[in-house]
Amino acid sequence: MRANYAIFWLLSLFFGVAAVIYALWTMADASAPQIVGPGTNAELATQPEWVGTVALTLSSILATFLAFYLGLIRKSTGGELPEDRDDALIDDADPEMGHFSPWSWWPLVLSVGVAMVFLGLAVGVWIALIGGPIAVIGIVGWNYEYYRGNFAR
């Protein structure tokens, strides 16, 4: 947790500095003589580029929130993960992650259905209408694969 905490503070600092440099750079670049074509506003040529500045500033704020949260959690729980200790063994950080089926075909069905839904959003709605039920069948099949057949519990 100590490494995550430090990484997010470094990211916050990096994005903050990058936002300031980006804003100053775009303002300096905007103040250079520019050719303003017909139908454009000459005053817009002297404005900084706001989209990148706001995106970098919000990224810095997000990293600050995450670093602050991890710092609070680290302080309240002791926050020493096995990765933070030099004397930790590999088995110390090996919790039960769940039960996974390496032979299951349902993730493939689900991914085909979701891919068809997103393709339908880009190409034509009729493809999404076909992919939606396939995705639902994939979700239901994956969730209930251990309730029937040879692997029923």
Side-chain angles (χ1 to χ4, degrees):
M1 189 174 290
R2 185 180 333 146
N4 296 339
Y5 173 75
I7 286 172
F8 278 114
W9 277 118
L10 286 173
L11 279 173
S12 174
L13 180 68
F14 170 75
F15 284 129
V17 169
V20 170
I21 291 172
Y22 186 81
L24 293 174
W25 195 326
T26 57
M27 287 185 347
D29 190 35
S31 64
Q34 297 181 1
I35 299 172
V36 179
T40 59
N41 191 352
E43 293 178 7
L44 289 179
T46 60
Q47 293 287 329
E49 199 277 318
W50 289 108
V51 175
T53 305
V54 170
L56 288 169
T57 303
L58 290 178
S59 297
S60 175
I61 291 171
L62 176 66
T64 303
F65 284 159
L66 291 171
F68 182 71
Y69 173 75
L70 287 176
L72 288 178
I73 295 298
R74 182 174 179 229
K75 190 186 321 180
S76 67
T77 62
E80 289 299 321
L81 296 175
E83 293 88 16
D84 295 332
R85 295 189 348 243
D86 290 334
D87 63 339
L89 301 173
I90 293 175
D91 290 337
D92 292 341
D94 191 18
E96 180 70 32
M97 297 299 288
H99 179 73
F100 301 103
S101 306
W103 58 82
S104 178
W105 287 89
W106 291 112
L108 181 65
V109 174
L110 178 62
S111 64
V112 166
V114 170
M116 287 179 71
V117 168
F118 282 105
L119 180 68
L121 293 174
V123 176
V125 178
W126 65 274
I127 299 174
L129 294 175
I130 295 171
I134 294 174
V136 170
I137 289 169
I139 290 172
V140 171
W142 199 3
N143 283 323
Y144 290 110
E145 70 181 338
Y146 284 106
Y147 289 99
R148 54 182 230 224
N150 293 336
F151 304 109
R153 292 184 184 191

